[in-house]
Amino acid sequence: MKNKPYLIAEIAQAHDGSLGVLYSYIDAVAKTGVQAIKFQMHIAEAESSPYEPFRVHFSKEDVTRFDYWKRMEFTLEQWKGIKAHCDAVGLDFICSPFSNLAVDWLEEIGVKIYKVGSGEVNNFLLLEKIAQTGKPVIISSGMSNFEELDQTVAFLKNKNVAFSILQCTTAYPTKPEQYGFGVMQELRERYQVPVGFSDHSAKISTGIAAVALGASIVEFHVVFHRAMFGPDAIASLTLEETKQLAEAVHDIYLAQNSVLDKNNNEDFSTLKSIFEKSLAINKNLPAGHVLTFGDLESKKPKGYGISADNFQKVIGRKLKDNMSQWDFLNEEDLA
């Protein structure tokens, strides 16, 4: 039996720097049925500088991207509390580090799985730091071509790091023609590792399709409402949609791991007796009439006349007695 697809609900910056909002997300995600919740650990001084530009200048209160990362920060002690709360509600704590210092913090916190974001896939300094932990890694391929991925995969394999790869398109929100479902199979065949899908489409159908097409991991952003402030809100699923996705994935998992024996239909014997039909005549007919196809009808239930699937056997035979329209036709009615 294949493993159940691993669903990762990403909070990212949806908390907008509020510890209280972040805890609210943890509690809400815990009720959706996903296995893991993912965060991004930003330590402004370690990963950025005042010279970093905004990709899109969305912030109403931060002059620079550095200022934004600074506002998104939590202290090490706060992160320990976040991890403990995830443990308490039964969610796997996954985090993307964006600096070597963040890796040190995550090791102190006790993270079990590292997520490497699309922009860090070829950051071999960071990858070396993560590899030294010996922990498994999930990498997103959103900004990398195969040549770049080959380098990262070779690096991780050389370091004996267990890893999986997510097909990802860095577009917010992602359009259907950008999903790249076919790339999942290419990744699986090329690297022989577990493959999944990192979704930014804001549609339940995308994650469902990814699982049906073989994704063993599906990661997606979550938000209380897509109208909320933040760079990822428009490309996120709501919490109610997340619950629906988790339920759908569970159904797909059961379906994919359940064998239906089409050689045995004993379970349908009662239904077949109700739905299958008996032969009847469709008009008043006199004794001695030679039956034609045009004289016949099929009526429920089965067992009150000759089985409808044997209609050819009565064509050309004579009636013993007069018969009325809609009478069931039995063997004793035939000469």
Side-chain angles (χ1 to χ4, degrees):
M1 178 177 288
K2 63 186 292 187
N3 292 328
K4 187 175 181 179
Y6 193 63
L7 299 182
I8 305 172
E10 177 167 4
I11 303 303
Q13 277 66 251
H15 53 75
D16 201 42
S18 166
L19 190 62
V21 171
L22 186 147
Y23 271 77
S24 296
Y25 270 112
I26 295 172
D27 291 335
V29 168
K31 299 174 183 177
T32 63
V34 306
Q35 297 98 317
I37 187 168
K38 203 207 92 175
F39 304 93
Q40 296 180 7
M41 182 176 284
H42 294 284
I43 306 173
E45 284 85 354
E47 72 176 71
S48 183
S49 72
Y51 307 107
E52 182 188 359
F54 277 101
R55 177 174 57 86
V56 177
H57 197 232
F58 62 88
S59 180
K60 310 300 181 186
E61 54 190 306
D62 307 297
V63 177
T64 66
R65 187 78 159 167
F66 176 88
D67 296 332
Y68 178 68
W69 296 135
K70 191 70 178 174
R71 192 165 60 81
M72 293 300 104
E73 286 184 5
F74 299 109
T75 67
L76 176 56
E77 290 305 310
Q78 287 172 330
W79 276 114
K80 288 179 179 179
I82 293 167
K83 167 66 162 59
H85 193 61
C86 292
D87 293 342
V89 298
L91 288 171
D92 293 345
F93 173 94
I94 298 178
C95 195
S96 293
F98 291 86
S99 64
N100 285 14
L101 178 57
V103 176
D104 288 334
W105 281 21
L106 288 170
E107 284 300 293
E108 188 168 342
I109 291 167
V111 73
K112 295 181 180 179
I113 303 175
Y114 282 94
K115 169 66 195 302
V116 176
S118 295
E120 307 292 333
V121 170
N122 293 122
N123 181 351
F124 290 102
L125 178 70
L126 180 61
L127 292 176
E128 172 66 30
K129 182 73 172 179
I130 293 173
Q132 290 175 6
T133 71
K135 306 284 177 64
V137 176
I138 301 171
I139 63 176
S140 276
S141 62
M143 299 185 191
S144 305
N145 58 30
F146 274 121
E147 181 180 354
E148 292 168 326
L149 284 174
D150 287 346
Q151 297 173 21
T152 297
V153 167
F155 178 88
L156 293 174
K157 287 186 174 180
N158 184 57
K159 299 291 182 178
N160 294 315
V161 175
F163 67 96
S164 53
I165 301 178
L166 306 184
Q167 160 54 14
C168 174
T169 299
T170 306
Y172 303 86
T174 314
K175 299 176 182 178
E177 59 268 30
Q178 298 173 308
Y179 294 169
F181 283 144
V183 178
M184 286 196 297
Q185 183 62 25
E186 292 184 75
L187 292 169
R188 188 180 295 109
E189 294 174 354
R190 191 181 186 99
Y191 301 124
Q192 301 296 306
V193 296
V195 169
F197 190 79
S198 181
D199 182 30
H200 304 110
S201 70
K203 295 180 180 179
I204 301 172
S205 58
T206 312
I208 293 173
V211 169
L213 291 170
S216 58
I217 302 168
V218 178
E219 176 193 66
F220 49 92
H221 288 261
V222 298
V223 71
F224 284 119
H225 193 284
R226 275 190 285 275
M228 292 183 69
F229 172 78
D232 304 314
I234 194 173
S236 302
L237 293 183
T238 66
L239 272 298
E240 179 58 34
E241 289 169 339
T242 299
K243 183 177 180 180
Q244 293 171 13
L245 174 61
E247 291 172 350
V249 168
H250 177 70
D251 289 346
I252 293 170
Y253 168 72
L254 292 178
Q256 290 175 330
N257 289 280
S258 300
V259 177
L260 189 65
D261 184 3
K262 288 297 287 183
N263 292 310
N264 183 352
N265 65 348
E266 290 180 1
D267 291 343
F268 301 103
S269 57
T270 300
L271 283 176
K272 283 172 70 67
S273 70
I274 296 173
F275 284 98
E276 292 186 354
K277 296 179 177 180
S278 303
L279 284 179
I281 60 171
N282 61 18
K283 57 179 73 72
N284 295 330
L285 294 174
H289 178 80
V290 178
L291 290 171
T292 67
F293 178 82
D295 298 325
L296 302 177
E297 186 54 272
S298 56
K299 291 176 54 173
K300 298 175 185 177
K302 182 179 181 179
Y304 278 74
I306 296 169
S307 178
D309 59 354
N310 289 323
F311 78 93
Q312 290 176 318
K313 295 180 180 180
V314 306
I315 294 175
R317 297 181 67 181
K318 293 181 180 181
L319 294 178
K320 288 183 178 179
D321 301 300
N322 295 337
M323 294 191 70
S324 299
Q325 185 181 32
W326 309 132
D327 281 349
F328 284 110
L329 183 66
N330 286 280
E331 187 63 34
E332 54 266 30
D333 298 316
L334 302 173

